[in-house]
Amino acid sequence: MNDGLEILPVRGIGDVTAGDDLAELITKAAPWLANGDVLVVTSKIVSKAEGRLVEVPADGPERDDARVRVLDSETARVVARRGETRIVQTHHGFVMAAAGIDASNVDKTHLVLLPADPDASAHRLRADLAARGLDVAVIVSDTMGRAWRNGLTDVALGAAGIEALLDHRGQIDPYGNELSLTQMAVVDELSAAAELVKGKCDRVPVAVVRGYPYRPDTTGAGASALIRDTESDMFRLGTAEARAEGLEQAAYLSDDVAVRETGRDGIGTAYNRIAEIVTAGTGITATASTFRLTAAGPAPADLLRLGADAHRLRAALAADGLTSGIEFDDDGVTINFGERA
Amino acid sequence: MNDGLEILPVRGIGDVTAGDDLAELITKAAPWLANGDVLVVTSKIVSKAEGRLVEVPADGPERDDARVRVLDSETARVVARRGETRIVQTHHGFVMAAAGIDASNVDKTHLVLLPADPDASAHRLRADLAARGLDVAVIVSDTMGRAWRNGLTDVALGAAGIEALLDHRGQIDPYGNELSLTQMAVVDELSAAAELVKGKCDRVPVAVVRGYPYRPDTTGAGASALIRDTESDMFRLGTAEARAEGLEQAAYLSDDVAVRETGRDGIGTAYNRIAEIVTAGTGITATASTFRLTAAGPAPADLLRLGADAHRLRAALAADGLTSGIEFDDDGVTINFGERA
């Protein structure tokens, strides 16, 4: 029982305003803070101390307009929208509802923005505490939603003096299996643990985790190590937004392609799609790099329909990952396989 | 300092095998377990005790094939794929890489599946502990990845005796603002806190959170309360999958529609898209419910191109949320607005 953790609330911090010295406030409220502790500070008081507030009307449509303007300015890109909800990626890289802008625990004429650079905020606070002779890790935390699961949890926006990820990769379990994928987001877990002793309305914006054998941050990456890069992000857009993007892609497929042979699989896939899509009676001939389609009948309506079918076919091929081009002549259409020219 | 939490590891549980009595093993290893504690049990030992193991070849392509078969059987639907990675929704409703199937901390000839019903597992263990005179909340936890953030955290798959979500909605902060959206996933935060004293390879599959004033589970929903329903899930598919779905939708747009007038916005949107898409010289006339397009020239190739353009236009309108139908005749095409017939 002697090697567990303690999660300790820091009470009595009171209102924080621009210019306040957080190290001063925290050490006064928690004179028991000790070397090796992990200090978890709610981003809101960091933002307030740093003056990251925006003045807005207290109510009415002017307030709504002002909120939208603030949200726009905090948004790097919109990830998903539904009704009033906007999930965006912030300029920091965090994906959060409403860019983490908060109207709670602040008077009605202000909105609180996230700290401009939460890792830098954590570093400053850690340095200020070091100047007081305290060697503690610092995490700046905030409350976030997640995909697929109801409810919010606290996670780390910034960190200093602690490695954000604990890498188990390469370790061997007792059965001789090498752990291949396990990197634990320990600063997120510490933030979540700290939230359990905080509270949304009762002004406990800081908690201390005592007894956690954290690894010093050797890379200096802080919590930015937790931001998934674009390349590995499989959920860059909401489903509705990505689906609309697919429809949009279908509308603007380029007719030009650098013609190349497609493999057996490509030809098979294309034949299946053609069978599903083209009107009965359409003429079909194929080579390894092209399909040639001729209209089911001689009437102008038959040509119009073949043109539409050919474009349907190209959208379906794109859904299958096949790039196509098209040429129109007076006898029919040629669908070419290859690479975008 | 006296109202914090303790997170206590439970050591010495040892190997768990099918049929083991977890209440017995845990109370033996943690005779200090007390009323009001939250017991967080790694799902793996629950699965092992419940015999949720599948025999697989120790190596070779046979092992890979067997893994795929097991994954298929644990999958309710595929959410996203990339390379070897498959993120799926399990039959329980959890969205997890590889359906939570685990090959670590088990001998090479077995895979460990998630418990069949983790809430029921938590309830059973809680009841077994109650039979020993202990009133504790029980959480069955597992390690999961998240969208947008690197690193894994532990979350709750099952819970008994504790409300999974702590609802702050309706509370008033010190500034008089009503909290509108805040429901905290406390069982996930407790799972994360517990993970900090566990370890991937050193056999600490159980931890105790002491001092957390949890609310009894009044609804009986357990951790299933954390599974987001389809309706509110904005990330039901990976971006690539949803984009492909959009392309697929474009390929199979129905020609039929119950024709209805579209609003001013619809007409404006359609005009913008037409201007972007159709070939110069295309004839355009409009009513409130239809656009009529005629070919830019008399040649068959012009008709083929108009057919393709008309379908491009319909895909673009669908991207804008506008439902259209199409009719072909010997003088051109009519694009109808309305609702899917």
Side-chain angles (χ1 to χ4, degrees), chain B residues 21-309:
Chain B
D21 178 347
L22 287 182
E24 168 77 19
L25 292 176
I26 290 167
T27 49
K28 206 174 255 177
W32 42 265
L33 190 64
N35 290 343
D37 285 346
V38 179
L39 186 70
V40 184
V41 183
T42 302
S43 77
K44 178 153 312 154
I45 65 165
V46 174
S47 295
K48 285 180 167 181
E50 295 178 354
R52 291 275 294 163
L53 284 88
V54 179
E55 209 171 332
V56 291
D59 45 36
E62 297 79 11
R63 180 180 174 86
D64 296 338
D65 293 349
R67 280 190 80 140
V68 169
R69 274 198 306 276
V70 174
L71 177 49
D72 284 344
S73 72
E74 294 294 295
T75 296
R77 65 182 190 89
V78 177
V79 173
R81 265 176 226 260
R82 187 179 290 185
E84 297 275 285
T85 304
R86 218 191 293 179
I87 296 175
V88 307
Q89 187 160 30
T90 68
H91 298 293
H92 322 84
F94 304 122
V95 176
M96 297 178 79
I101 299 162
D102 203 342
S104 71
N105 290 294
V106 67
D107 70 86
K108 288 178 197 300
T109 62
H110 287 92
L111 299 175
V112 184
L113 310 181
L114 296 186
D117 181 345
D119 279 327
S121 303
H123 274 285
R124 267 196 301 278
L125 179 52
R126 178 168 143 80
D128 290 349
L129 291 165
R132 294 162 184 266
L134 279 167
D135 179 14
V136 300
V138 175
I139 294 172
V140 174
S141 70
D142 206 343
T143 302
M144 268 194 208
R146 309 81 59 84
W148 313 311
R149 290 175 76 77
N150 293 318
L152 314 176
T153 63
D154 270 21
V155 298
L157 300 186
I162 178 172
E163 198 93 75
L165 290 163
L166 182 59
D167 203 334
H168 294 286
R169 292 178 299 182
Q171 286 181 41
I172 308 294
D173 75 17
Y175 295 85
N177 304 298
E178 185 176 328
L179 298 181
S180 56
L181 288 170
T182 311
Q183 274 192 306
M184 298 303 297
V186 290
V187 292
D188 282 349
E189 295 192 320
L190 287 160
S191 300
E195 198 283 323
L196 293 167
V197 301
K198 294 179 183 173
K200 291 296 160 204
C201 293
D202 51 1
R203 300 188 189 223
V204 185
V206 179
V208 170
V209 181
R210 175 160 293 172
Y212 182 69
Y214 59 86
R215 300 202 191 163
D217 186 11
T218 51
T219 63
S224 73
L226 296 180
I227 298 173
R228 196 179 277 281
D229 60 22
T230 306
E231 195 42 55
S232 73
D233 183 359
M234 296 163 78
F235 299 93
R236 213 160 149 68
L237 286 177
T239 301
E241 285 74 14
R243 214 181 260 140
E245 215 177 75
L247 286 161
E248 182 98 13
Q249 282 176 8
Y252 295 94
L253 290 171
S254 166
D255 286 356
D256 301 320
V257 76
V259 183
R260 277 226 304 236
E261 290 192 7
T262 185
R264 243 184 140 69
D265 288 354
I267 294 172
T269 301
Y271 260 120
N272 290 338
R273 292 294 198 173
I274 289 172
E276 287 174 359
I277 287 173
V278 299
T279 308
T282 302
I284 307 167
T285 53
T287 71
S289 56
T290 65
F291 274 88
R292 173 84 187 150
L293 303 177
T294 52
D302 294 318
L303 295 170
L304 289 165
R305 189 180 290 278
L306 175 60
D309 284 353

Side-chain angles (χ1 to χ4, degrees), chain A residues 174-286:
Chain A
Y175 295 87
N177 303 300
E178 187 176 329
L179 297 181
S180 56
L181 289 169
T182 311
Q183 275 192 305
M184 297 305 297
V186 290
V187 293
D188 282 349
E189 295 193 319
L190 288 160
S191 299
E195 199 281 323
L196 293 167
V197 302
K198 294 180 184 172
K200 291 295 157 202
C201 293
D202 51 0
R203 298 189 187 226
V204 185
V206 179
V208 170
V209 181
R210 176 160 292 171
Y212 181 69
Y214 60 86
R215 300 201 192 166
D217 186 11
T218 51
T219 64
S224 72
L226 297 180
I227 298 173
R228 197 180 277 280
D229 60 21
T230 307
E231 193 43 52
S232 73
D233 183 359
M234 296 163 78
F235 299 92
R236 213 161 149 68
L237 287 177
T239 301
E241 286 73 14
R243 215 181 260 138
E245 215 178 75
L247 286 161
E248 182 98 15
Q249 283 176 9
Y252 296 94
L253 289 171
S254 167
D255 286 356
D256 301 320
V257 76
V259 183
R260 277 225 305 235
E261 291 192 8
T262 185
R264 243 184 140 69
D265 287 353
I267 294 171
T269 301
Y271 261 119
N272 289 338
R273 292 294 198 173
I274 289 171
E276 286 173 358
I277 287 174
V278 299
T279 308
T282 302
I284 306 167
T285 55

Side-chain angles (χ1 to χ4, degrees), chain A residues 42-119:
Chain A
T42 302
S43 77
K44 177 152 313 151
I45 66 165
V46 175
S47 294
K48 285 180 166 180
E50 293 177 355
R52 291 275 294 162
L53 283 86
V54 180
E55 211 172 332
V56 290
D59 45 37
E62 297 80 10
R63 180 181 172 85
D64 296 337
D65 292 350
R67 281 190 78 141
V68 169
R69 275 198 305 278
V70 175
L71 177 50
D72 283 345
S73 73
E74 294 294 296
T75 296
R77 66 182 189 89
V78 176
V79 173
R81 264 178 226 259
R82 186 178 292 186
E84 297 274 284
T85 305
R86 218 191 292 179
I87 295 174
V88 308
Q89 186 160 33
T90 68
H91 298 295
H92 321 86
F94 304 122
V95 175
M96 297 177 79
I101 299 164
D102 203 343
S104 71
N105 290 294
V106 67
D107 71 84
K108 288 178 197 298
T109 63
H110 287 93
L111 298 175
V112 184
L113 310 182
L114 297 186
D117 182 344
D119 279 327

